[in-house]
Amino acid sequence: MTQTTMDKLGDIELFVRVIKKEGLAAAGREVGLSPARMTARINGLEERYGVRLLNRTTRRISLTEEGRKFYVSCERILAEVEQAETSLQTGQTSFIGALRITAPSDLGQQYIAPVLSKFVEVHPEITPYLYLSDSVVDLIGNGFDLGIRYGTLKDSTLIARRLARNRRVLCASPDYLKRKGIPVLPEELIQHDCLTMVRMAEPLTTWHFQGTAGNSSISIQGTRASNDGALIRRWAIEGAGIALKSYWDIAEDLKAKRLVTIMDNYQYDFNSTGATEGADLHVIYPNRRFISQRTIAFIDALKKHFSSVYS
């Protein structure tokens, strides 16, 4: 006999309770089940899916990798159920639960964080988590609801929706260009101070160009390096060198004339495909049948924001 949906929901709720109470016995006392019965329920859950969810000793429990991923999904499911109940009782849509987002450092601070703050003001029962990193983050493995990325999507298990058109630009401060001169050709960058992005401990010192004469790649001499795009932008503003940045990262600096772009007759990127295919801004999310309504609502808020201001 197959287990009913309500029975499965009960097991999910019990599993989440065990994690939050940090033990089978403590969770069992809350729901009136003996330790033996609690153990049987968790064993049944593991047998149903064919994976071990918990590491158990006489003193403590901990989540396995599969258990951690399952726990994140269970929390989403329970939050959706609570949200549906609230909507039925009040006649209003109220988003409840965690909203986990990852975005590049510079873009996240300048644009995503303000949109998220306004969204939470409207939906105060949402608990936001914004993780800023210029590395490519594993959305599914780290339990994120959505991510913001520049460029084309290589992972076919994810869905991408474009938020805004974007391009990479070479930029520097007027003071730096006055002191060092303005490069016109890619190979001239070898003689300049260049600011190097670092991803996954790898300095991105090869810059790729596409121009009317074809494609080329230049190995730049990095004088400063960082894994934080916001710091690269700050160094460029301070006159430390030339940076390869996304347009939206420096849009306000261009308006304020803190930075200027150079060599605008080329397309650039840190990889050869980006130089030819572009670096548009996308929101990405797991390709699942279950996507929380709060995630969908926040994606819509992002699309509305970028289409109205940055189209």
Side-chain angles (χ1 to χ4, degrees), residues 156-217:
S156 60
T157 65
L158 301 173
I159 296 173
R161 293 170 64 181
R162 189 172 67 190
L163 291 175
R165 293 192 177 278
N166 176 67
R167 67 183 188 279
R168 305 283 190 190
V169 294
L170 284 179
C171 62
S173 70
D175 175 67
Y176 173 85
L177 296 175
K178 183 177 180 180
R179 287 185 288 109
K180 297 284 189 172
I182 302 174
V184 178
L185 300 173
E187 52 266 29
E188 294 179 30
L189 291 172
I190 298 174
Q191 308 302 321
H192 278 265
D193 300 330
C194 294
L195 308 175
T196 305
M197 272 295 300
V198 179
R199 286 182 184 162
M200 305 297 290
E202 179 183 354
L204 304 180
T205 54
T206 301
W207 292 358
H208 301 272
F209 298 79
Q210 181 188 33
T212 54
N215 301 338
S216 61
S217 299

Short mmCIF file of all heavy atoms in Angstrom, two decimals, residues 156-217:
data_model
loop_
_atom_site.label_atom_id
_atom_site.label_comp_id
_atom_site.label_asym_id
_atom_site.label_seq_id
_atom_site.Cartn_x
_atom_site.Cartn_y
_atom_site.Cartn_z
N SER A 156 22.49 22.82 -17.24
CA SER A 156 21.17 22.59 -17.82
C SER A 156 20.12 22.21 -16.79
O SER A 156 18.94 22.14 -17.11
CB SER A 156 21.25 21.49 -18.89
OG SER A 156 21.71 20.28 -18.30
N THR A 157 20.54 21.93 -15.54
CA THR A 157 19.56 21.60 -14.51
C THR A 157 18.93 22.84 -13.90
O THR A 157 18.03 22.74 -13.06
CB THR A 157 20.22 20.79 -13.38
OG1 THR A 157 21.20 21.60 -12.71
CG2 THR A 157 20.90 19.54 -13.93
N LEU A 158 19.38 24.01 -14.32
CA LEU A 158 18.85 25.26 -13.80
C LEU A 158 18.06 26.01 -14.88
O LEU A 158 18.29 25.83 -16.07
CB LEU A 158 19.98 26.15 -13.28
CG LEU A 158 20.85 25.57 -12.17
CD1 LEU A 158 22.03 26.49 -11.88
CD2 LEU A 158 20.04 25.34 -10.91
N ILE A 159 17.15 26.85 -14.43
CA ILE A 159 16.37 27.70 -15.33
C ILE A 159 16.89 29.12 -15.20
O ILE A 159 17.18 29.59 -14.10
CB ILE A 159 14.88 27.64 -14.98
CG1 ILE A 159 14.33 26.22 -15.20
CG2 ILE A 159 14.08 28.64 -15.80
CD1 ILE A 159 12.91 26.04 -14.73
N ALA A 160 17.04 29.82 -16.32
CA ALA A 160 17.54 31.19 -16.31
C ALA A 160 16.52 32.13 -16.97
O ALA A 160 15.96 31.80 -18.01
CB ALA A 160 18.87 31.28 -17.06
N ARG A 161 16.30 33.27 -16.33
CA ARG A 161 15.46 34.32 -16.91
C ARG A 161 16.25 35.61 -16.91
O ARG A 161 16.82 36.01 -15.89
CB ARG A 161 14.17 34.49 -16.08
CG ARG A 161 13.25 33.28 -16.14
CD ARG A 161 12.12 33.36 -15.15
NE ARG A 161 11.23 34.49 -15.42
CZ ARG A 161 10.16 34.78 -14.66
NH1 ARG A 161 9.88 34.04 -13.59
NH2 ARG A 161 9.39 35.80 -14.96
N ARG A 162 16.31 36.25 -18.05
CA ARG A 162 17.12 37.48 -18.16
C ARG A 162 16.46 38.63 -17.42
O ARG A 162 15.28 38.89 -17.57
CB ARG A 162 17.33 37.86 -19.62
CG ARG A 162 18.34 38.99 -19.79
CD ARG A 162 18.69 39.23 -21.23
NE ARG A 162 17.54 39.74 -21.97
CZ ARG A 162 17.49 39.85 -23.30
NH1 ARG A 162 18.52 39.44 -24.01
NH2 ARG A 162 16.43 40.32 -23.89
N LEU A 163 17.27 39.32 -16.62
CA LEU A 163 16.80 40.50 -15.90
C LEU A 163 17.14 41.78 -16.64
O LEU A 163 16.35 42.73 -16.64
CB LEU A 163 17.44 40.55 -14.50
CG LEU A 163 17.01 39.49 -13.50
CD1 LEU A 163 17.83 39.62 -12.22
CD2 LEU A 163 15.52 39.62 -13.18
N ALA A 164 18.31 41.83 -17.26
CA ALA A 164 18.73 43.06 -17.95
C ALA A 164 19.87 42.74 -18.90
O ALA A 164 20.66 41.81 -18.68
CB ALA A 164 19.19 44.11 -16.94
N ARG A 165 19.95 43.50 -19.96
CA ARG A 165 21.10 43.39 -20.86
C ARG A 165 22.33 43.97 -20.18
O ARG A 165 22.24 44.91 -19.39
CB ARG A 165 20.83 44.11 -22.18
CG ARG A 165 19.72 43.43 -23.00
CD ARG A 165 19.68 43.99 -24.41
NE ARG A 165 18.68 43.31 -25.22
CZ ARG A 165 18.87 42.15 -25.83
NH1 ARG A 165 20.05 41.54 -25.71
NH2 ARG A 165 17.92 41.58 -26.54
N ASN A 166 23.47 43.39 -20.48
CA ASN A 166 24.70 43.81 -19.83
C ASN A 166 25.87 43.53 -20.75
O ASN A 166 25.77 42.72 -21.68
CB ASN A 166 24.88 43.06 -18.51
CG ASN A 166 26.19 43.40 -17.83
OD1 ASN A 166 26.40 44.52 -17.39
ND2 ASN A 166 27.10 42.43 -17.75
N ARG A 167 26.97 44.19 -20.51
CA ARG A 167 28.22 43.90 -21.23
C ARG A 167 29.38 44.15 -20.28
O ARG A 167 29.26 44.89 -19.29
CB ARG A 167 28.35 44.81 -22.46
CG ARG A 167 28.53 46.28 -22.14
CD ARG A 167 28.59 47.13 -23.39
NE ARG A 167 28.94 48.52 -23.12
CZ ARG A 167 28.11 49.45 -22.70
NH1 ARG A 167 26.85 49.14 -22.48
NH2 ARG A 167 28.52 50.68 -22.48
N ARG A 168 30.49 43.49 -20.56
CA ARG A 168 31.71 43.76 -19.82
C ARG A 168 32.36 45.02 -20.39
O ARG A 168 32.30 45.27 -21.60
CB ARG A 168 32.70 42.60 -19.94
CG ARG A 168 32.14 41.25 -19.54
CD ARG A 168 32.06 41.05 -18.07
NE ARG A 168 31.74 39.67 -17.73
CZ ARG A 168 31.42 39.24 -16.53
NH1 ARG A 168 31.38 40.09 -15.53
NH2 ARG A 168 31.15 37.97 -16.31
N VAL A 169 32.99 45.79 -19.52
CA VAL A 169 33.67 47.01 -19.97
C VAL A 169 35.03 47.11 -19.29
O VAL A 169 35.22 46.62 -18.17
CB VAL A 169 32.84 48.28 -19.66
CG1 VAL A 169 31.55 48.30 -20.46
CG2 VAL A 169 32.53 48.39 -18.17
N LEU A 170 35.96 47.73 -20.00
CA LEU A 170 37.23 48.10 -19.38
C LEU A 170 37.08 49.51 -18.84
O LEU A 170 36.59 50.41 -19.54
CB LEU A 170 38.37 48.05 -20.40
CG LEU A 170 38.89 46.67 -20.80
CD1 LEU A 170 39.99 46.81 -21.83
CD2 LEU A 170 39.40 45.91 -19.59
N CYS A 171 37.49 49.71 -17.60
CA CYS A 171 37.30 51.03 -17.00
C CYS A 171 38.49 51.40 -16.13
O CYS A 171 39.26 50.55 -15.67
CB CYS A 171 36.02 51.06 -16.17
SG CYS A 171 36.02 49.88 -14.78
N ALA A 172 38.62 52.68 -15.90
CA ALA A 172 39.68 53.22 -15.05
C ALA A 172 39.26 54.62 -14.61
O ALA A 172 38.32 55.21 -15.17
CB ALA A 172 41.02 53.27 -15.77
N SER A 173 39.95 55.15 -13.63
CA SER A 173 39.64 56.50 -13.18
C SER A 173 40.29 57.52 -14.13
O SER A 173 41.32 57.23 -14.76
CB SER A 173 40.17 56.73 -11.77
OG SER A 173 41.59 56.78 -11.78
N PRO A 174 39.71 58.71 -14.27
CA PRO A 174 40.34 59.74 -15.10
C PRO A 174 41.76 60.05 -14.64
O PRO A 174 42.64 60.31 -15.47
CB PRO A 174 39.41 60.95 -14.91
CG PRO A 174 38.07 60.35 -14.59
CD PRO A 174 38.40 59.13 -13.75
N ASP A 175 42.00 59.98 -13.33
CA ASP A 175 43.35 60.28 -12.81
C ASP A 175 44.36 59.24 -13.29
O ASP A 175 45.47 59.59 -13.70
CB ASP A 175 43.31 60.29 -11.27
CG ASP A 175 44.69 60.46 -10.67
OD1 ASP A 175 45.28 61.54 -10.83
OD2 ASP A 175 45.20 59.49 -10.04
N TYR A 176 43.97 57.95 -13.26
CA TYR A 176 44.89 56.91 -13.73
C TYR A 176 45.23 57.11 -15.21
O TYR A 176 46.40 57.03 -15.60
CB TYR A 176 44.29 55.52 -13.52
CG TYR A 176 45.14 54.44 -14.14
CD1 TYR A 176 46.21 53.89 -13.46
CD2 TYR A 176 44.90 54.00 -15.46
CE1 TYR A 176 47.01 52.91 -14.04
CE2 TYR A 176 45.70 53.03 -16.04
CZ TYR A 176 46.76 52.50 -15.34
OH TYR A 176 47.56 51.57 -15.92
N LEU A 177 44.23 57.35 -16.02
CA LEU A 177 44.46 57.50 -17.46
C LEU A 177 45.28 58.75 -17.77
O LEU A 177 46.07 58.76 -18.73
CB LEU A 177 43.11 57.57 -18.19
CG LEU A 177 42.27 56.28 -18.09
CD1 LEU A 177 40.90 56.49 -18.74
CD2 LEU A 177 42.99 55.10 -18.74
N LYS A 178 45.16 59.78 -16.94
CA LYS A 178 45.96 60.98 -17.13
C LYS A 178 47.43 60.68 -16.83
O LYS A 178 48.34 61.17 -17.52
CB LYS A 178 45.46 62.09 -16.22
CG LYS A 178 46.18 63.42 -16.39
CD LYS A 178 45.58 64.51 -15.50
CE LYS A 178 46.29 65.83 -15.67
NZ LYS A 178 45.72 66.90 -14.80
N ARG A 179 47.66 59.84 -15.81
CA ARG A 179 49.03 59.51 -15.43
C ARG A 179 49.67 58.49 -16.35
O ARG A 179 50.85 58.58 -16.69
CB ARG A 179 49.05 58.97 -13.99
CG ARG A 179 48.82 60.00 -12.92
CD ARG A 179 48.99 59.40 -11.52
NE ARG A 179 47.89 58.50 -11.17
CZ ARG A 179 48.01 57.19 -11.07
NH1 ARG A 179 49.19 56.61 -11.30
NH2 ARG A 179 46.97 56.44 -10.73
N LYS A 180 48.90 57.49 -16.77
CA LYS A 180 49.46 56.34 -17.47
C LYS A 180 49.17 56.31 -18.97
O LYS A 180 49.75 55.50 -19.70
CB LYS A 180 48.90 55.04 -16.85
CG LYS A 180 49.27 54.83 -15.39
CD LYS A 180 50.71 54.37 -15.25
CE LYS A 180 51.01 53.95 -13.83
NZ LYS A 180 52.34 53.31 -13.70
N GLY A 181 48.24 57.14 -19.41
CA GLY A 181 47.87 57.12 -20.81
C GLY A 181 46.68 56.21 -21.08
O GLY A 181 46.32 55.37 -20.24
N ILE A 182 46.06 56.38 -22.25
CA ILE A 182 44.86 55.62 -22.59
C ILE A 182 45.22 54.53 -23.60
O ILE A 182 45.60 54.84 -24.74
CB ILE A 182 43.78 56.54 -23.18
CG1 ILE A 182 43.43 57.65 -22.19
CG2 ILE A 182 42.53 55.74 -23.55
CD1 ILE A 182 42.47 58.69 -22.74
N PRO A 183 45.10 53.26 -23.25
CA PRO A 183 45.38 52.19 -24.22
C PRO A 183 44.33 52.15 -25.31
O PRO A 183 43.15 52.40 -25.06
CB PRO A 183 45.35 50.93 -23.35
CG PRO A 183 44.46 51.28 -22.20
CD PRO A 183 44.69 52.73 -21.94
N VAL A 184 44.76 51.81 -26.51
CA VAL A 184 43.85 51.76 -27.66
C VAL A 184 43.70 50.32 -28.15
O VAL A 184 42.63 49.92 -28.61
CB VAL A 184 44.36 52.67 -28.79
CG1 VAL A 184 43.44 52.58 -30.02
CG2 VAL A 184 44.45 54.11 -28.31
N LEU A 185 44.76 49.54 -28.06
CA LEU A 185 44.76 48.15 -28.53
C LEU A 185 44.93 47.20 -27.35
O LEU A 185 45.56 47.55 -26.35
CB LEU A 185 45.91 47.94 -29.53
CG LEU A 185 45.87 48.80 -30.79
CD1 LEU A 185 47.16 48.60 -31.60
CD2 LEU A 185 44.65 48.46 -31.64
N PRO A 186 44.38 45.99 -27.46
CA PRO A 186 44.49 45.03 -26.35
C PRO A 186 45.92 44.79 -25.88
O PRO A 186 46.18 44.72 -24.68
CB PRO A 186 43.85 43.76 -26.93
CG PRO A 186 42.88 44.25 -27.94
CD PRO A 186 43.52 45.47 -28.55
N GLU A 187 46.85 44.68 -26.82
CA GLU A 187 48.22 44.37 -26.43
C GLU A 187 48.87 45.49 -25.61
O GLU A 187 49.84 45.27 -24.89
CB GLU A 187 49.09 44.06 -27.66
CG GLU A 187 49.03 45.11 -28.75
CD GLU A 187 48.00 44.79 -29.81
OE1 GLU A 187 47.00 44.12 -29.48
OE2 GLU A 187 48.21 45.21 -30.97
N GLU A 188 48.33 46.70 -25.69
CA GLU A 188 48.87 47.81 -24.90
C GLU A 188 48.59 47.63 -23.40
O GLU A 188 49.24 48.26 -22.55
CB GLU A 188 48.29 49.14 -25.39
CG GLU A 188 48.73 49.51 -26.80
CD GLU A 188 48.11 50.82 -27.26
OE1 GLU A 188 47.84 51.70 -26.42
OE2 GLU A 188 47.88 50.96 -28.48
N LEU A 189 47.62 46.78 -23.07
CA LEU A 189 47.28 46.57 -21.67
C LEU A 189 48.42 45.90 -20.91
O LEU A 189 48.50 45.99 -19.68
CB LEU A 189 46.02 45.70 -21.55
CG LEU A 189 44.72 46.36 -22.02
CD1 LEU A 189 43.60 45.33 -22.05
CD2 LEU A 189 44.35 47.52 -21.10
N ILE A 190 49.30 45.23 -21.63
CA ILE A 190 50.44 44.56 -20.98
C ILE A 190 51.32 45.58 -20.26
O ILE A 190 51.96 45.27 -19.25
CB ILE A 190 51.26 43.77 -22.03
CG1 ILE A 190 50.39 42.67 -22.65
CG2 ILE A 190 52.51 43.16 -21.41
CD1 ILE A 190 51.06 41.94 -23.80
N GLN A 191 51.34 46.81 -20.74
CA GLN A 191 52.17 47.86 -20.16
C GLN A 191 51.44 48.61 -19.04
O GLN A 191 52.00 49.55 -18.46
CB GLN A 191 52.60 48.85 -21.25
CG GLN A 191 53.24 48.22 -22.47
CD GLN A 191 54.48 47.41 -22.10
OE1 GLN A 191 55.26 47.80 -21.23
NE2 GLN A 191 54.65 46.26 -22.75
N HIS A 192 50.20 48.22 -18.75
CA HIS A 192 49.40 48.96 -17.77
C HIS A 192 49.21 48.17 -16.48
O HIS A 192 49.43 46.95 -16.42
CB HIS A 192 48.02 49.30 -18.36
CG HIS A 192 48.04 50.52 -19.23
ND1 HIS A 192 47.71 51.76 -18.77
CD2 HIS A 192 48.36 50.67 -20.55
CE1 HIS A 192 47.81 52.64 -19.76
NE2 HIS A 192 48.20 51.99 -20.85
N ASP A 193 48.83 48.90 -15.43
CA ASP A 193 48.46 48.28 -14.16
C ASP A 193 47.04 47.76 -14.29
O ASP A 193 46.10 48.53 -14.50
CB ASP A 193 48.52 49.30 -13.02
CG ASP A 193 49.91 49.89 -12.85
OD1 ASP A 193 50.88 49.18 -13.15
OD2 ASP A 193 50.01 51.05 -12.41
N CYS A 194 46.88 46.47 -14.17
CA CYS A 194 45.55 45.87 -14.30
C CYS A 194 45.13 45.23 -12.98
O CYS A 194 45.95 44.68 -12.25
CB CYS A 194 45.54 44.82 -15.42
SG CYS A 194 45.81 45.52 -17.07
N LEU A 195 43.85 45.31 -12.69
CA LEU A 195 43.29 44.80 -11.44
C LEU A 195 42.67 43.44 -11.71
O LEU A 195 41.78 43.31 -12.54
CB LEU A 195 42.25 45.79 -10.90
CG LEU A 195 42.76 47.23 -10.78
CD1 LEU A 195 41.64 48.17 -10.34
CD2 LEU A 195 43.94 47.31 -9.81
N THR A 196 43.12 42.42 -10.99
CA THR A 196 42.80 41.04 -11.32
C THR A 196 41.73 40.46 -10.40
O THR A 196 41.88 40.48 -9.18
CB THR A 196 44.07 40.17 -11.20
OG1 THR A 196 45.10 40.72 -12.02
CG2 THR A 196 43.78 38.74 -11.65
N MET A 197 40.68 39.93 -11.01
CA MET A 197 39.69 39.16 -10.26
C MET A 197 40.23 37.76 -10.01
O MET A 197 40.93 37.20 -10.84
CB MET A 197 38.38 39.06 -11.04
CG MET A 197 37.41 40.22 -10.81
SD MET A 197 36.81 40.29 -9.10
CE MET A 197 36.00 38.70 -8.92
N VAL A 198 39.88 37.20 -8.86
CA VAL A 198 40.27 35.84 -8.50
C VAL A 198 39.00 35.03 -8.25
O VAL A 198 38.15 35.43 -7.46
CB VAL A 198 41.16 35.82 -7.25
CG1 VAL A 198 41.52 34.39 -6.88
CG2 VAL A 198 42.42 36.65 -7.47
N ARG A 199 38.87 33.88 -8.93
CA ARG A 199 37.73 33.00 -8.73
C ARG A 199 38.23 31.61 -8.38
O ARG A 199 39.08 31.07 -9.10
CB ARG A 199 36.85 32.93 -9.98
CG ARG A 199 36.02 34.17 -10.22
CD ARG A 199 35.15 34.01 -11.44
NE ARG A 199 34.40 35.22 -11.73
CZ ARG A 199 33.84 35.48 -12.90
NH1 ARG A 199 33.93 34.59 -13.89
NH2 ARG A 199 33.17 36.60 -13.10
N MET A 200 37.70 31.05 -7.31
CA MET A 200 38.10 29.71 -6.87
C MET A 200 39.62 29.61 -6.78
O MET A 200 40.24 28.64 -7.22
CB MET A 200 37.56 28.65 -7.84
CG MET A 200 36.06 28.71 -8.07
SD MET A 200 35.08 28.39 -6.59
CE MET A 200 35.39 26.65 -6.35
N ALA A 201 40.23 30.64 -6.19
CA ALA A 201 41.68 30.74 -5.98
C ALA A 201 42.47 30.85 -7.28
O ALA A 201 43.70 30.74 -7.27
CB ALA A 201 42.19 29.55 -5.16
N GLU A 202 41.80 31.11 -8.40
CA GLU A 202 42.48 31.22 -9.69
C GLU A 202 42.43 32.66 -10.20
O GLU A 202 41.33 33.19 -10.47
CB GLU A 202 41.83 30.30 -10.72
CG GLU A 202 42.48 30.38 -12.10
CD GLU A 202 41.78 29.53 -13.13
OE1 GLU A 202 40.85 28.78 -12.76
OE2 GLU A 202 42.15 29.61 -14.32
N PRO A 203 43.56 33.34 -10.34
CA PRO A 203 43.57 34.70 -10.88
C PRO A 203 43.14 34.69 -12.35
O PRO A 203 43.65 33.90 -13.15
CB PRO A 203 45.03 35.13 -10.74
CG PRO A 203 45.63 34.18 -9.77
CD PRO A 203 44.90 32.89 -9.93
N LEU A 204 42.21 35.56 -12.70
CA LEU A 204 41.72 35.64 -14.08
C LEU A 204 42.57 36.65 -14.84
O LEU A 204 42.18 37.79 -15.09
CB LEU A 204 40.24 36.04 -14.09
CG LEU A 204 39.31 35.13 -13.28
CD1 LEU A 204 37.86 35.62 -13.36
CD2 LEU A 204 39.41 33.70 -13.79
N THR A 205 43.76 36.20 -15.22
CA THR A 205 44.74 37.10 -15.85
C THR A 205 44.71 37.04 -17.37
O THR A 205 45.48 37.76 -18.02
CB THR A 205 46.16 36.78 -15.35
OG1 THR A 205 46.42 35.39 -15.57
CG2 THR A 205 46.29 37.08 -13.87
N THR A 206 43.88 36.19 -17.95
CA THR A 206 43.72 36.16 -19.40
C THR A 206 42.40 36.82 -19.76
O THR A 206 41.34 36.33 -19.39
CB THR A 206 43.74 34.71 -19.94
OG1 THR A 206 44.97 34.09 -19.59
CG2 THR A 206 43.61 34.71 -21.47
N TRP A 207 42.49 37.96 -20.46
CA TRP A 207 41.29 38.70 -20.87
C TRP A 207 41.07 38.46 -22.37
O TRP A 207 42.01 38.53 -23.17
CB TRP A 207 41.45 40.19 -20.59
CG TRP A 207 41.47 40.50 -19.12
CD1 TRP A 207 41.33 39.63 -18.08
CD2 TRP A 207 41.68 41.79 -18.53
NE1 TRP A 207 41.41 40.29 -16.88
CE2 TRP A 207 41.62 41.61 -17.11
CE3 TRP A 207 41.90 43.07 -19.04
CZ2 TRP A 207 41.78 42.68 -16.22
CZ3 TRP A 207 42.04 44.14 -18.15
CH2 TRP A 207 41.98 43.94 -16.76
N HIS A 208 39.82 38.18 -22.72
CA HIS A 208 39.48 37.83 -24.10
C HIS A 208 38.76 39.00 -24.78
O HIS A 208 37.89 39.64 -24.19
CB HIS A 208 38.60 36.59 -24.12
CG HIS A 208 39.26 35.40 -23.48
ND1 HIS A 208 40.07 34.52 -24.17
CD2 HIS A 208 39.23 34.94 -22.19
CE1 HIS A 208 40.51 33.58 -23.35
NE2 HIS A 208 40.02 33.80 -22.15
N PHE A 209 39.11 39.21 -26.04
CA PHE A 209 38.60 40.36 -26.79
C PHE A 209 37.98 39.90 -28.11
O PHE A 209 38.46 38.95 -28.74
CB PHE A 209 39.73 41.35 -27.12
CG PHE A 209 40.39 41.94 -25.89
CD1 PHE A 209 41.34 41.21 -25.18
CD2 PHE A 209 40.06 43.21 -25.46
CE1 PHE A 209 41.94 41.75 -24.06
CE2 PHE A 209 40.66 43.75 -24.34
CZ PHE A 209 41.60 43.02 -23.63
N GLN A 210 36.94 40.61 -28.52
CA GLN A 210 36.38 40.42 -29.85
C GLN A 210 36.24 41.80 -30.49
O GLN A 210 35.60 42.70 -29.93
CB GLN A 210 35.01 39.74 -29.79
CG GLN A 210 34.42 39.52 -31.19
CD GLN A 210 32.99 39.03 -31.14
OE1 GLN A 210 32.24 39.38 -30.24
NE2 GLN A 210 32.60 38.24 -32.13
N GLY A 211 36.86 41.95 -31.66
CA GLY A 211 36.79 43.21 -32.38
C GLY A 211 36.57 42.99 -33.86
O GLY A 211 36.36 41.85 -34.31
N THR A 212 36.61 44.04 -34.63
CA THR A 212 36.38 43.93 -36.07
C THR A 212 37.44 43.09 -36.76
O THR A 212 37.18 42.47 -37.79
CB THR A 212 36.35 45.34 -36.70
OG1 THR A 212 37.57 46.03 -36.35
CG2 THR A 212 35.17 46.15 -36.18
N ALA A 213 38.64 43.03 -36.16
CA ALA A 213 39.72 42.25 -36.75
C ALA A 213 39.72 40.80 -36.29
O ALA A 213 40.58 40.02 -36.67
CB ALA A 213 41.07 42.90 -36.43
N GLY A 214 38.76 40.43 -35.43
CA GLY A 214 38.69 39.06 -34.94
C GLY A 214 38.87 38.97 -33.44
O GLY A 214 38.77 39.98 -32.73
N ASN A 215 39.12 37.76 -32.96
CA ASN A 215 39.24 37.51 -31.53
C ASN A 215 40.70 37.45 -31.11
O ASN A 215 41.56 37.02 -31.88
CB ASN A 215 38.54 36.21 -31.15
CG ASN A 215 37.07 36.21 -31.51
OD1 ASN A 215 36.46 37.26 -31.66
ND2 ASN A 215 36.50 35.02 -31.66
N SER A 216 40.96 37.84 -29.88
CA SER A 216 42.32 37.75 -29.35
C SER A 216 42.25 37.59 -27.84
O SER A 216 41.22 37.85 -27.21
CB SER A 216 43.14 39.01 -29.70
OG SER A 216 42.53 40.17 -29.14
N SER A 217 43.34 37.14 -27.25
CA SER A 217 43.44 36.97 -25.80
C SER A 217 44.75 37.58 -25.33
O SER A 217 45.79 37.42 -25.96
CB SER A 217 43.39 35.49 -25.42
OG SER A 217 42.17 34.90 -25.82
#
